[in-house]
């Protein structure tokens, strides 16, 4: 068994050896606690038949745990300075491939087809760079990549928003977008002290399990998300006011919006944060013919 990368001493040794300095712009915070990495890996439920996709491997702390527990690991790293370090730290593992590409620009489906041939069980497991957490998760879900799920470390505040239920102040269009595709749960809260350098926010691990089909039936996904975003544009406003001010030509179609809310069985005076996914689906399906 190789010595874990994720200890403070070993991390410092590796960084010193390569003269590596953290780039704030890339949101680099490396994990230095092997127990937390083991737990993240366990939450992902990996087996020797799994393919793991990682984003932002850093110096390979989580990568090595994924390598020990999966058939193959595909890791996207944008920072070229880390490539020689990863080549060194991950040299004991022959089932890891580092892709020097921005995952937001990558054709992930194609990379999976090339690299994960014959692998049915695919998980994304990562300690995500905090400044691009939401775009990465949304890309993975909206690109319809064939994932069993996603287990990622992110800002606790974002984790709270993703797994929020209607009627809470954390609940919003992000909660809806992600819960539309997945079942979302926060599985672990993580203290700042397990990172180097320490971030100035608390972190959490969230597990998203892909639904076999979306949570609700909508005529047009894009329009459904447009309606949910509009409904939260100003949280203190009613659903009627938000939709009127945010939807294209909403002001001239106020009566149409009112009628659609009525048909959907929704009081126009309610606020977006009180509405369930099901209610948003009914609203967007009623509005759709008038706006598309």
């Amino acid at each position: 068994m190789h010595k874990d990368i994720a200890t403070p001493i070993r991390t410092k040794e590796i960084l010193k050896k390569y003269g590596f300095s953290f780039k704030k712009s890339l949101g680099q915070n490396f994990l230095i606690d092997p127990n937390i990495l083991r737990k993240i890996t366990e939450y992902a439920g990996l087996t020797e038949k799994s393919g793991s996709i990682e984003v932002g491997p850093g110096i390979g702390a989580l990568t090595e745990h994924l390598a020990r527990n999966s058939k193959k690991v595909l890791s996207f790293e944008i920072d070229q300075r880390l490539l020689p370090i990863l080549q060194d730290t991950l040299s004991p593992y022959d089932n890891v491939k580092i892709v020097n590409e921005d995952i937001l620009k990558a054709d992930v489906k194609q990379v999976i087809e090339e690299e994960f041939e014959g692998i049915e069980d695919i998980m994304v497991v990562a300690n995500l760079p905090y400044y691009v957490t939401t775009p990465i998760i949304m890309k993975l879900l909206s690109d319809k990549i064939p994932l069993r799920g996603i287990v990622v470390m992110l800002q606790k505040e974002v984790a709270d928003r993703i797994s929020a239920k209607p009627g809470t102040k954390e609940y919003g269009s992000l909660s809806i977008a992600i819960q539309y595709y997945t079942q979302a749960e926060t599985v672990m809260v993580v203290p700042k002290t397990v990172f180097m350098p320490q971030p100035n926010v608390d972190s959490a691990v969230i597990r998203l399990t892909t639904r076999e089909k979306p949570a609700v039936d909508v005529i047009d996904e894009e329009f459904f998300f447009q309606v949910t975003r509009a409904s939260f544009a100003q949280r203190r406003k009613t659903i009627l006011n938000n939709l009127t001010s945010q939807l294209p030509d909403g002001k001239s179609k106020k009566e149409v919006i009112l009628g659609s809310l009525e048909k959907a069985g929704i009081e126009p005076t309610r606020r977006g944060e009180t509405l369930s996914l099901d209610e948003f689906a009914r609203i967007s399906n009623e509005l759709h013919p008038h706006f598309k």
Side-chain angles (χ1 to χ4, degrees):
M1 194 66 169
H2 301 282
K3 269 197 312 186
D4 277 344
I5 293 167
T7 60
I9 293 172
R10 181 108 198 268
T11 301
K12 279 181 185 147
E13 275 171 13
I14 293 165
L15 298 176
K16 193 176 165 192
K17 177 177 172 183
Y18 286 91
F20 182 84
S21 55
F22 293 94
K23 259 194 189 160
K24 246 205 149 88
S25 64
L26 293 177
Q28 288 168 334
N29 302 94
F30 297 165
L31 276 160
I32 48 173
D33 183 333
N35 290 327
I36 295 213
L37 294 165
R38 270 193 285 279
K39 279 187 185 155
I40 293 173
T41 311
E42 276 166 23
Y43 281 124
L46 302 170
T47 71
E48 64 282 357
K49 291 181 177 167
S50 305
S52 297
I53 298 174
E54 188 188 15
V55 185
I59 58 172
L62 176 59
T63 325
E64 80 175 342
H65 285 263
L66 301 178
R68 290 170 190 166
N69 291 283
S70 324
K71 185 173 184 180
K72 185 167 183 182
V73 183
L74 202 56
S75 208
F76 287 85
E77 178 50 68
I78 199 170
D79 187 352
Q80 277 182 317
R81 302 173 307 150
L82 287 165
L83 303 183
I85 304 182
L86 288 162
Q87 210 175 345
D88 176 5
T89 58
L90 299 172
S91 58
Y93 308 99
D94 59 2
N95 59 341
V96 177
K97 169 144 188 181
I98 306 294
V99 184
N100 181 208
E101 211 178 330
D102 178 351
I103 192 152
L104 290 173
K105 296 182 182 140
D107 183 343
V108 181
K109 256 189 186 155
Q110 195 192 333
V111 178
I112 286 176
E113 275 167 29
E114 289 166 10
E115 300 293 338
F116 282 170
E117 206 184 335
I119 295 179
E120 300 281 308
D121 181 56
I122 301 174
M123 285 294 287
V124 171
V125 192
N127 168 27
L128 287 179
Y130 288 176
Y131 71 109
V132 283
T133 302
T134 309
I136 289 172
I137 295 175
M138 285 316 300
K139 175 191 163 94
L140 293 167
L141 297 177
S142 56
D143 283 2
K144 309 277 197 289
I145 291 161
L147 303 172
R148 171 163 58 85
I150 298 175
V151 174
V152 288
M153 170 95 74
L154 34 73
Q155 270 169 274
K156 182 176 180 297
E157 177 214 352
V158 179
D160 290 345
R161 279 167 47 209
I162 287 173
S163 57
K165 297 282 174 270
T168 61
K169 66 177 195 306
E170 288 78 27
Y171 182 70
S173 53
L174 180 65
S175 328
I176 293 162
I178 291 181
Q179 291 173 33
Y180 173 79
Y181 294 113
T182 70
Q183 286 175 299
E185 49 185 336
T186 299
V187 288
M188 183 163 81
V189 175
V190 180
K192 301 170 189 172
T193 48
V194 301
F195 295 94
M196 180 188 294
Q198 283 191 23
N200 41 16
V201 292
D202 283 321
S203 303
V205 175
I206 195 156
R207 177 167 57 195
L208 307 175
T209 308
T210 312
R211 298 177 186 273
E212 276 178 28
K213 62 183 192 34
V216 286
D217 287 324
V218 296
I219 299 165
D220 179 334
E221 273 184 14
E222 212 173 296
F223 182 66
F224 168 70
F225 293 134
Q226 188 183 354
V227 167
T228 58
R229 282 195 302 272
S231 306
F232 288 94
Q234 289 184 282
R235 291 187 77 96
R236 315 223 32 96
K237 281 190 168 182
T238 65
I239 180 92
L240 176 62
N241 285 343
N242 268 327
L243 292 174
T244 307
S245 65
Q246 299 296 319
L247 289 177
D249 302 325
K251 288 193 175 59
S252 62
K253 292 181 177 173
K254 190 166 186 175
E255 289 309 310
V256 169
I257 295 172
L258 200 53
S260 298
L261 288 170
E262 206 166 284
K263 276 192 191 137
I266 305 297
E267 284 288 330
T269 52
R270 285 175 65 183
R271 286 186 185 161
E273 66 197 51
T274 68
L275 297 161
S276 66
L277 265 79
D278 193 47
E279 291 175 314
F280 275 117
R282 296 207 307 264
I283 294 170
S284 86
N285 288 345
E286 289 295 346
L287 287 170
H288 184 264
H290 307 288
F291 285 89
K292 281 291 174 185

